Amino acid sequence: MKLTIKAEGLGWRILRNVVLVLGIIIILGPLYLVLVNSFKTMPEAGRNFFALPQSLNFNNYAELLSKGEYWGYVWNTTYITFFSILLVVLINPTVSYAIARNSHKTYYKIIYFYLLLGLFVPFQVIMLPLTKIMTGIQLLNPFGLIILYGALSLTRGVFLLVNYIQQMPAEIEEAARIDGCSTFQIYYSIILRLIAPMLVTLVIMDALWFWNDFMLPLLLLNKAKEFWTLPLFQYNFKTEYSFNYTMAFTSYLMAMLPIILVYAFGQKHIIAGLTEGAVKG
């Protein structure tokens, strides 16, 4: 009996490890191809697409970075992401705190469930109405995109933060009121500090979304080349370099690097925020 149990346990571990290896290959395989081919010339990539480069050739990077328009697209992506995150930080905690501390009131319940409806509505359903509305109010520009990101982030932000705040003991705020603190002082000095792990988690997740998003910039910004973000630049880059895979891969890698670094340094905050939110209270 013991031998049978051990054999079943060993078989399960082997199966688990095989699945994990396959997952790693599926995830890292495309990244490997992008990385190695960004250092190749076109003839070298044509001879063997999957092989390592014969030498580190930085000509693709030099050519890409020497293009003045490329830095314009980097700037567009950076400031759209920055100001969208600023909206997330300003709006999401404020709305969530108001809902969490007034959840017993019908008005706030309606707002809460209305915002949560966005979790169940696919983006494909709303993208055409959104485009039509933004066209009608003449906001097919980065400013309009920032507003949309701030609004659309409320769905996930409110869902995460309201539950997090509701698990905090209200006695802390009552003690602060007895000491003479106003609602704003309680929110700024106490609540924001207590929800910091979850707020950092939300910021990192939204930053990944804003930086890498393709569909909304395509709908709002694609007609004006000066408004392009890096994903749009890559999308239109294929036309000019339709057969130059090495240059295309170089642009993909350069666009991925900043946000990969952000995630690498911020993943511990994501795990800490989600874990603390799960066991809080």
Side-chain angles (χ1 to χ4, degrees):
M1 179 66 70
K2 291 183 178 180
L3 290 175
T4 303
I5 294 174
K6 288 182 179 179
E8 290 178 353
L10 178 61
W12 168 251
R13 287 196 296 271
I14 292 175
L15 177 62
R16 180 193 61 189
N17 292 336
V18 169
V19 172
L20 288 175
V21 170
L22 288 176
I24 292 173
I25 293 173
I26 292 172
I27 293 172
L28 295 183
L31 183 60
Y32 163 80
L33 292 178
V34 170
L35 180 61
V36 299
N37 284 286
S38 68
F39 290 104
K40 295 178 182 178
T41 61
M42 274 298 296
E44 186 180 357
R47 285 194 299 270
N48 194 334
F49 190 68
F50 299 94
L52 290 170
Q54 296 176 355
S55 62
L56 292 180
N57 177 18
F58 292 94
N59 290 338
N60 292 328
Y61 292 92
E63 182 178 347
L64 179 68
L65 297 179
S66 65
K67 293 178 176 292
E69 59 183 12
Y70 173 78
W71 293 106
Y73 305 138
V74 171
W75 167 249
N76 288 343
T77 308
T78 301
Y79 87 78
I80 287 173
T81 301
F82 174 80
F83 285 106
S84 299
I85 289 298
L86 186 60
L87 274 185
V88 169
V89 173
L90 290 175
I91 296 175
N92 279 265
T94 309
V95 174
S96 300
Y97 177 59
I99 293 174
R101 289 299 181 246
N102 296 279
S103 58
H104 58 283
K105 299 179 181 179
T106 304
Y107 173 74
Y108 287 94
K109 284 184 179 179
I110 293 173
I111 293 177
Y112 179 57
F113 288 115
Y114 175 75
L115 290 174
L116 290 190
L117 283 176
L119 292 172
F120 307 99
V121 179
F123 176 75
Q124 290 81 359
V125 174
I126 64 173
M127 66 180 186
L128 291 180
L130 272 180
T131 306
K132 186 174 181 180
I133 291 172
M134 300 303 283
T135 303
I137 59 179
Q138 298 183 354
L139 280 179
L140 296 180
N141 51 48
F143 179 70
L145 183 59
I146 291 169
I147 292 176
L148 269 184
Y149 280 148
L152 294 175
S153 72
L154 274 172
T155 298
R156 181 168 57 189
V158 167
F159 174 72
L160 293 175
L161 293 174
V162 166
N163 291 283
Y164 196 85
I165 294 171
Q166 284 178 334
Q167 294 172 12
M168 296 177 181
E171 290 78 7
I172 298 175
E173 298 171 49
E174 294 171 1
R177 291 189 189 281
I178 293 174
D179 290 338
C181 289
S182 65
T183 301
F184 177 77
Q185 288 174 324
I186 293 173
Y187 168 75
Y188 181 76
S189 302
I190 299 175
I191 299 301
L192 279 182
R193 285 162 174 75
L194 292 176
I195 67 173
M198 184 57 74
L199 187 57
V200 171
T201 299
L202 180 64
V203 165
I204 294 172
M205 294 170 66
D206 281 344
L208 292 170
W209 167 28
F210 301 153
W211 184 275
N212 293 315
D213 187 32
F214 170 73
M215 188 57 68
L216 272 177
L218 178 66
L219 294 173
L220 269 64
L221 308 179
N222 197 40
K223 290 184 178 180
K225 188 174 181 179
E226 65 272 16
F227 293 153
W228 283 358
T229 58
L230 283 173
L232 279 185
F233 165 65
Q234 293 163 5
Y235 170 72
N236 293 285
F237 188 81
K238 293 186 298 183
T239 302
E240 183 179 353
Y241 294 94
S242 55
F243 298 101
N244 195 336
Y245 297 109
T246 59
M247 279 295 295
F249 284 140
T250 302
S251 72
Y252 300 155
L253 184 62
M254 291 298 294
M256 286 191 295
L257 278 179
I259 207 64
I260 287 176
L261 293 176
V262 169
Y263 182 79
F265 286 107
Q267 63 174 336
K268 62 179 180 180
H269 297 289
I270 295 178
I271 296 171
L274 296 177
T275 304
E276 188 172 337
V279 302
K280 208 169 183 63

